[in-house]
Amino acid sequence: MTDKHATLKVDGKEIDLPMYSGTTGPDVVDVRSLVQQGLFTYDPGFVSTAACESKITFIDGTNGVLLHRGYPIEQLAQHSDYLETCYLLIHGELPSSEELGHFKSMVKNHTMVHEQLNHFFNGFRRDAHPMAIMCGVVGALSAFYHDTMDSTDEKHREIAAFRLIAKMPTLAAMCYKYSIGQPFMYPRNDLDYAANFLYMMFGTPCEEFVVNPVLAKAMDKIFLLHADHEQNASTSTVRLAGSSGANVFACIASGIAALWGPAHGGANEAVLSMLMEIEDESRIPEFIERAKDKDDSFRLMGFGHRVYKNFDPRAKVMKESCDQVLQELGLEDDPLFKIARRLEQIALEDPYFVERKLYPNVDFYSGIILRAIGIPVSMFTVIFAMARTVGWYSHWNEMVSTDYRIGRPRQLYTGATKRDYPG
């Protein structure tokens, strides 16, 4: 915090507004007192408004920086794994080997879901979108674990964290199995987090299924790189829902609903749709020209990022993982992936894209990896939700651990003024 001040002049009257400084990033102007002057700020999309104070994640989009509790995402991706990163996001510090062992053990002890929840799936059509099912079943967890939903109780919050992190892969795999008519696979606690998810996705009771360690490692990287991304639409939704005192499962379900939107969680799905639209390498020049035409509705998906104005720090890690997966599966010559390779090369060399810093982002590579592994496009956002659950929980936990207020945004009213009902 600092003792800086800003002055707002309204109709000749000066209003003094305090300014605060965080540990890093831009200063903020405290506008809370404006309501006493009969004024609100107008900021559609809240792109210039800090609605909370947080110690979890910091993003500097201009310089391509993403920090979790101060640790660069590149270093976490190289040295850590998803569950250790989960611990870091929740607790604020990296765990000791003993703490990490306990944390992973507790997650493994909560991987199964209540058997009655299995029957919940029967209420959905088999062709329902997996995200529709995921919204429903995650919200329904509150009906099964209502004994530990007191958000003011630190122990209850801790149990909720273990349940959410552990059960999300199980529920996600159940969504997929239900859609293809295969039996649910119970989790195997002898497998690590990512391998267990792939086992539940692709294993069957008919034969032994051995998880490829290269694919499991790539899956873990996808989870880690999507674990949190500061105050995005879904995280803000979770915080806003939580500010009313709603239970944590309902709050996470609200985050899933927000993530479902194509402008948020559907980016890697859009990458695959674009590659399928291009269809053949020979058509790439045509689509490149269309992408450069501002009057054409076609856009290259997976290039550039709304937040990162230079480069997405997660993309380099994801690219390395993508190369390893394609090589492991012998898919370097797959037509769709050859299109992706060519687009990647053009984006890194063509002056049009270089000048505008439209580099491949994390969604470009993660979409390719997921398809190579065999995960259908409809499941992409479900996997994103799985990974982001720990981020949502961490922000919810941070908020309810403090003296918070219920969210109540204001509006610029432009409707009719008071009028009488016609007699």
Side-chain angles (χ1 to χ4, degrees):
M1 301 290 183
T2 70
D3 57 358
K4 297 180 188 176
H5 288 261
T7 302
L8 176 65
K9 200 170 208 178
V10 182
D11 293 332
K13 179 182 178 182
E14 291 189 350
I15 302 172
D16 184 65
L17 300 171
M19 293 177 64
Y20 304 124
S21 298
T23 52
T24 187
D27 292 345
V28 299
V29 179
D30 187 343
V31 298
R32 285 176 290 182
S33 64
L34 288 181
V35 67
Q36 299 166 9
Q37 309 291 330
L39 297 171
F40 304 144
T41 57
Y42 182 59
D43 183 20
F46 307 111
V47 294
S48 296
T49 299
C52 66
E53 179 183 328
S54 181
K55 296 179 173 67
I56 299 170
T57 296
F58 173 75
I59 295 174
D60 179 350
T62 302
N63 296 307
V65 173
L66 171 59
L67 307 177
H68 289 330
R69 301 288 191 177
Y71 294 98
I73 190 65
E74 303 93 327
Q75 293 182 22
L76 290 173
Q78 181 180 359
H79 302 294
S80 186
D81 63 16
Y82 178 67
L83 286 183
E84 184 179 52
T85 301
C86 287
Y87 185 100
L88 172 68
L89 289 170
I90 295 170
H91 296 286
E93 298 293 341
L94 288 170
S96 65
S97 58
E98 183 179 346
E99 289 170 332
L100 181 59
H102 173 71
F103 185 80
K104 289 186 174 182
S105 175
M106 290 297 291
V107 169
K108 287 184 176 182
N109 288 339
H110 286 86
T111 52
M112 290 182 64
V113 297
H114 195 290
E115 193 69 14
Q116 190 65 27
L117 193 65
N118 293 2
H119 303 296
F120 196 87
F121 282 80
N122 294 328
F124 294 98
R125 288 171 51 126
R126 290 281 180 179
D127 60 352
H129 195 287
M131 281 294 279
I133 301 175
M134 201 67 170
C135 279
V137 295
V138 171
L141 290 176
S142 58
F144 292 87
Y145 304 110
H146 49 78
D147 57 322
T148 52
M149 292 197 305
D150 182 357
S151 63
T152 64
D153 188 314
E154 186 177 352
K155 189 64 178 176
H156 282 202
R157 297 200 304 270
E158 182 184 38
I159 293 171
F162 288 128
R163 283 176 170 163
L164 282 164
I165 295 169
K167 296 182 193 305
M168 287 298 277
T170 307
L171 294 174
M174 290 170 76
C175 288
Y176 173 63
K177 288 295 194 183
Y178 183 76
S179 70
I180 61 174
Q182 288 188 2
F184 299 144
M185 296 296 289
Y186 288 106
R188 276 180 48 188
N189 290 347
D190 60 313
L191 298 175
D192 64 33
Y193 193 83
N196 189 35
F197 171 66
L198 292 177
Y199 167 76
M200 291 187 289
M201 280 285 292
F202 299 116
T204 69
C206 306
E207 56 191 6
E208 182 182 3
F209 179 79
V210 178
V211 179
N212 185 317
V214 175
L215 305 189
K217 182 180 178 182
M219 200 77 247
D220 191 81
K221 283 282 193 294
I222 287 177
F223 294 158
L224 189 156
L225 294 173
H226 289 87
D228 190 48
H229 211 236
E230 209 214 70
Q231 306 304 321
N232 51 74
S234 57
T235 301
S236 299
T237 299
V238 171
R239 278 185 175 265
L240 192 58
S243 74
S244 73
N247 72 76
V248 65
F249 302 112
C251 294
I252 298 302
S254 75
I256 294 172
L259 186 71
W260 194 356
H264 188 8
N268 50 13
E269 184 175 340
V271 170
L272 264 293
S273 298
M274 174 195 70
L275 295 177
M276 288 186 282
E277 182 182 359
I278 295 174
E279 195 175 11
D280 189 88
E281 275 190 280
S282 63
R283 301 186 65 198
I284 289 178
E286 167 197 343
F287 281 90
I288 290 296
E289 290 307 310
R290 288 183 60 189
K292 294 178 180 180
D293 184 355
K294 64 180 182 180
D295 297 323
D296 195 304
S297 60
F298 176 78
R299 294 290 180 270
L300 281 182
M301 305 306 297
F303 294 86
H305 197 281
R306 183 186 177 194
V307 172
Y308 300 108
K309 306 307 178 188
N310 194 339
F311 65 93
D312 184 341
R314 302 166 297 173
K316 181 179 179 181
V317 179
M318 202 84 275
K319 172 180 165 50
E320 293 173 359
S321 188
C322 183
D323 291 340
Q324 292 168 3
V325 168
L326 295 183
Q327 183 177 1
E328 175 69 16
L329 297 176
L331 292 173
E332 297 96 332
D333 293 326
D334 179 277
L336 214 59
F337 297 141
K338 288 178 75 173
I339 295 172
R341 292 287 197 213
R342 180 60 186 140
L343 288 176
E344 176 190 32
Q345 181 183 5
I346 291 171
L348 295 174
E349 296 176 356
D350 189 305
Y352 178 89
F353 296 99
V354 173
E355 290 169 8
R356 291 164 175 77
K357 299 179 179 178
L358 298 176
Y359 304 119
N361 61 35
V362 69
D363 299 306
F364 180 76
Y365 295 113
S366 64
I368 295 171
I369 291 173
L370 293 174
R371 183 182 184 274
I373 290 175
I375 294 172
V377 172
S378 62
M379 282 291 296
F380 284 10
T381 316
V382 172
I383 290 172
F384 193 163
M386 278 176 52
R388 185 55 56 84
T389 292
V390 68
W392 292 332
Y393 170 83
S394 298
H395 285 274
W396 172 85
N397 185 53
E398 181 180 62
M399 182 187 71
V400 300
S401 302
T402 61
D403 183 20
Y404 64 95
R405 298 182 62 182
I406 185 171
R408 197 354 182 140
R410 302 291 185 165
Q411 66 175 11
L412 172 64
Y413 179 69
T414 56
T417 55
K418 181 180 178 182
R419 50 184 172 174
D420 293 325
Y421 187 84

